[in-house]
């Protein structure tokens, strides 16, 4: 019998005892793996009041103090990596190798946030460059914006919590975390490690629950900034509920990767196979559409299919597993259904197309029509569609037909194509000689169109979690007054 991991609500510095709970059924084990204490209306009210009272306490912490906490937390995460990876496998069906990779990124993210905390400052403005400014001095600083609400997703619950919470704390804010219902235990475990590393209890609260908890928090006047990672409908709902607040949205994607005729096709197929099915394709930048020049199309499709058939599918707790389960049966069934629709429209299914419970067999759909759902919509599952193209301008236009614009990949050795794609593709990032599914946590990340607003990674998130305050010194100048 598997141990059920408890996930409490942290409100006003205390883990709440008793109360209503929600169980998480592991999608692979198909039995309870965690139990979260769900927040009630009175918990939300108490958390908001505490966040308002705690804001000044956290803002007064020196950047060096904040950085020290985050550095110790990074070391603690590294030491507890196997435990966290196992929780990811139990709650989400994420293979251990993927979970271990996510935990390594958590430690890196905390370390990067610590470094960025030490760099927060301001500038002396050149006011004396204009006649009305002569004889005066103006100075700016980055000040904490106020209580932050962090709403995190199920697909990377540890690392994306680390991004939001670490950047908010580095900026000097208190944070209310609303974790995903599918991953309460791993989210709670990460917060516990941060507290053990010295994060003040005033700096973080955790409220488990569904959309109603998130909506109440978003609408609350005590919240200054809302940062959410999730699907497009959820993002739109957050924006409506938040109203005139600062809102950062990292939403969905329908990532395209282009393979040109001069590419190393075998290497491109290997990379797309490895990055199209990690976490069962449940990533906003997972490889979904691969456009291959017609002269290399069949070669690529054959090579990709062979690579995909070699992936190890099964128990996420087995270190050899490449593909575990999706988040639940419904998610896997949707991918099966969309695959069948594409086949009925004339596509070839050269691998997969079936499921066993929540485990989706890695699926390759070759030459689906442009209007098929596996091409036009976000699959967010273990499926890659392969499509031919003839001209480079044509394929760029086809990539841009999507309502999403997060990241794209490009395999080519032609620098002119690289520059053209970087300029013309409507995305937030382009990966050259790699697939769309690559991210460095200290590099800005975010999209355009339906993929969201703002940029993640600690440095850019700190900008969103702080406000610029100006100090004007009338009659006092460092520039000269003549």
């Amino acid at each position: 019998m598997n141990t059920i991991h408890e996930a409490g609500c942290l409100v006003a510095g205390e883990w709440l005892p008793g109360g209503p709970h929600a169980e998480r059924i592991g999608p692979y084990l198909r039995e309870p793996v965690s139990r979260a204490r769900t927040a009630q209306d009175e918990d939300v009210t108490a958390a908001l009041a505490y966040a308002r009272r705690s804001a000044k306490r956290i803002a007064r912490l020196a950047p060096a103090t904040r950085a020290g906490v985050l550095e110790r937390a990074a070391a603690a995460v590294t030491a507890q990596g196997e435990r966290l990876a196992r929780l990811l496998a139990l709650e989400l069906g994420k293979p251990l190798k993927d979970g271990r990779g996510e935990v390594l990124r958590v430690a890196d993210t905390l370390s990067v946030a610590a470094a960025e905390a030490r760099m927060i400052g301001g500038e002396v403005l050149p006011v004396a460059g204009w006649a009305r400014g002569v004889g005066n001095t103006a100075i700016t600083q980055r000040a904490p914006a106020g209580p932050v609400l962090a709403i995190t997703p199920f697909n990377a619950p540890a690392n994306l919590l680390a991004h939001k919470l670490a950047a908010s704390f580095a900026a000097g804010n208190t944070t209310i975390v609303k974790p995903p219902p599918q991953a309460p235990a791993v989210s709670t475990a990460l917060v516990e490690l941060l507290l053990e590393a010295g994060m003040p209890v005033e700096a973080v609260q955790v409220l488990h629950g569904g959309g109603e908890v998130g909506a109440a928090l978003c609408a609350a006047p005590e919240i200054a900034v809302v940062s959410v990672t999730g699907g497009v409908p959820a993002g739109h709902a957050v924006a409506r509920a938040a109203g005139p607040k600062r809102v950062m949205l990292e939403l969905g994607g329908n990532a395209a990767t282009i393979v040109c005729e001069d590419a190393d096709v075998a290497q491109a197929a290997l990379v797309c196979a490895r990055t199209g099915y990690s976490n069962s394709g449940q990533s906003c930048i997972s490889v979904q559409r691969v456009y291959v020049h017609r002269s290399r199309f069949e070669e690529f499709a054959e090579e990709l299919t062979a690579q995909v058939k070699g992936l190890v599918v099964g128990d996420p707790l087995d270190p050899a597993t490449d593909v575990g389960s999706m988040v639940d049966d419904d998610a896997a069934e949707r991918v099966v259904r969309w695959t069948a629709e594409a086949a009925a429209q004339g596509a070839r299914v050269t691998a997969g197309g079936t499921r066993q419970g929540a485990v989706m067999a890695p699926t390759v759909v070759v030459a689906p029509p442009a209007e098929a759902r596996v091409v036009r919509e976000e699959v967010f599952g273990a499926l890659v569609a392969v499509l031919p193209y003839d001209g480079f301008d044509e394929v760029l236009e086809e990539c841009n037909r999507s309502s999403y614009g997060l990241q794209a990949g490009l395999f080519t050795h032609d620098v002119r194509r690289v520059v053209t794609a970087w300029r013309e593709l409507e995305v937030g990032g382009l990966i050259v000689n790699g697939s769309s599914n690559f991210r460095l946590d200290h590099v800005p990340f975010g999209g355009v169109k339906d993929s969201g607003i703002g940029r993640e990674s600690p440095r850019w998130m700190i900008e969103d979690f702080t406000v610029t305050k100006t100090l004007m010194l009338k009659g006092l100048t460092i520039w000269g007054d003549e």
Side-chain angles (χ1 to χ4, degrees):
M1 184 69 177
N2 182 65
T3 300
I4 298 178
H5 299 268
E6 301 289 342
C9 282
L10 176 60
V11 177
E14 296 184 2
W15 293 101
L16 299 180
H21 285 75
E23 282 189 335
R24 170 62 178 164
I25 305 298
Y28 186 84
L29 288 180
R30 310 185 81 75
E31 63 183 57
V33 293
S34 61
R35 182 167 50 220
R37 202 280 196 188
T38 53
Q40 304 303 293
D41 291 346
E42 59 270 24
D43 302 326
V44 172
T45 300
L48 290 166
Y50 187 72
R52 183 181 60 249
R53 296 196 305 270
S54 301
K56 288 186 178 180
R57 157 85 170 100
I58 302 306
R60 284 195 292 264
L61 291 177
T65 301
R66 303 173 208 157
V69 169
L70 294 170
E71 287 167 346
R72 291 191 295 275
V77 166
T78 300
Q80 294 290 318
E82 199 65 17
R83 179 171 72 93
L84 295 173
R86 181 177 174 83
L87 283 174
L88 288 166
L90 290 171
E91 290 194 305
L92 299 169
K94 178 178 288 193
L96 274 180
K97 61 175 63 175
D98 288 345
R100 288 165 177 163
E102 181 173 347
V103 172
L104 287 174
R105 291 179 61 189
V106 169
D108 281 351
T109 298
L110 295 173
S111 296
V112 171
E116 294 296 341
R118 299 183 190 278
M119 301 296 292
I120 297 173
E123 60 179 318
V124 178
L125 301 177
V127 294
W130 284 261
R132 291 187 64 241
V134 173
N136 304 301
T137 298
I139 306 170
T140 67
Q141 66 159 315
R142 302 295 302 186
V148 171
L149 170 60
I151 300 178
T152 54
F154 75 80
N155 60 317
N159 191 40
L160 294 178
L161 172 56
H163 271 275
K164 298 179 193 302
L165 179 52
S168 176
F169 180 66
N173 297 309
T174 184
T175 307
I176 297 178
V177 176
K178 213 295 282 182
Q182 302 92 338
V186 72
S187 304
T188 301
L190 181 54
V191 171
E192 289 173 338
L193 287 177
L194 282 156
L195 292 170
E196 291 168 8
M199 179 175 281
V201 293
E202 296 92 342
V204 61
Q205 299 180 86
V206 180
L207 294 178
H208 298 287
E212 69 286 351
V213 173
L217 291 168
C218 285
E222 293 87 349
I223 297 296
V225 185
V226 178
S227 177
V228 59
T229 302
V232 171
H236 291 178
V238 164
R240 287 192 298 269
K245 292 186 179 73
R246 191 177 296 191
V247 177
M248 277 71 68
L249 303 175
E250 200 277 277
L251 305 178
N254 179 358
T257 292
I258 302 169
V259 180
C260 297
E261 62 268 36
D262 66 329
D264 182 334
V265 166
Q267 179 64 19
L270 175 63
V271 171
C272 288
R274 288 179 175 173
T275 58
Y277 304 92
S278 59
N279 198 21
S280 292
Q282 296 170 123
S283 168
C284 51
I285 52 174
S286 185
V287 180
Q288 178 174 329
R289 299 177 289 159
V290 183
Y291 293 94
V292 185
H293 191 269
R294 196 173 298 276
S295 65
R296 313 294 299 277
F297 177 72
E298 291 298 339
E299 176 188 359
F300 178 89
E302 182 177 336
E303 184 65 30
L304 177 68
T305 299
Q307 292 288 348
V308 169
K309 288 182 176 179
L311 295 173
V312 178
V313 183
D315 186 353
L317 291 171
D318 184 343
T321 296
D322 297 306
V323 181
S325 68
M326 294 185 64
V327 68
D328 54 39
D329 288 14
D330 289 345
E333 178 58 29
R334 176 180 51 78
V335 180
V336 170
R337 188 169 64 251
W338 287 11
T339 303
E341 287 178 6
Q345 294 168 323
R348 303 186 338 249
V349 180
T350 58
T354 61
R355 72 176 178 98
Q356 184 173 1
V359 178
M360 179 71 199
T363 300
V364 178
V365 179
V366 176
E371 299 306 319
R373 286 206 277 187
V374 297
V375 178
R376 294 270 69 86
E377 300 185 29
E378 181 181 28
V379 172
F380 212 70
L383 181 151
V384 173
V386 186
L387 303 100
Y389 78 90
D390 295 303
F392 194 64
D393 291 341
E394 163 204 321
V395 74
L396 296 181
E397 290 181 7
E398 184 59 30
C399 290
N400 288 339
R401 285 186 64 202
S402 173
S403 62
Y404 298 98
L406 194 49
Q407 284 199 164
L410 174 64
F411 286 89
T412 186
H413 298 290
D414 186 338
V415 70
R416 294 168 298 183
R417 286 178 175 153
V418 171
V419 173
T420 298
W422 190 29
R423 182 183 67 237
E424 299 296 334
L425 285 174
E426 296 168 356
V427 293
L430 174 64
I431 312 300
V432 177
N433 289 322
S435 78
S436 59
N437 195 2
F438 181 77
R439 178 181 177 185
L440 296 176
D441 292 290
H442 55 288
V443 171
F445 176 81
V448 298
K449 302 193 286 189
D450 279 350
S451 288
I453 301 169
R455 292 294 178 266
E456 291 198 339
S457 298
R459 172 184 160 188
W460 287 267
M461 297 180 81
I462 287 171
E463 291 182 3
D464 287 324
F465 292 155
T466 55
V467 294
T468 299
K469 295 182 71 173
T470 302
L471 176 65
M472 182 69 71
L473 302 172
K474 292 282 290 178
L476 182 63
T477 179
I478 62 174
W479 299 104
D481 54 8
E482 295 183 3

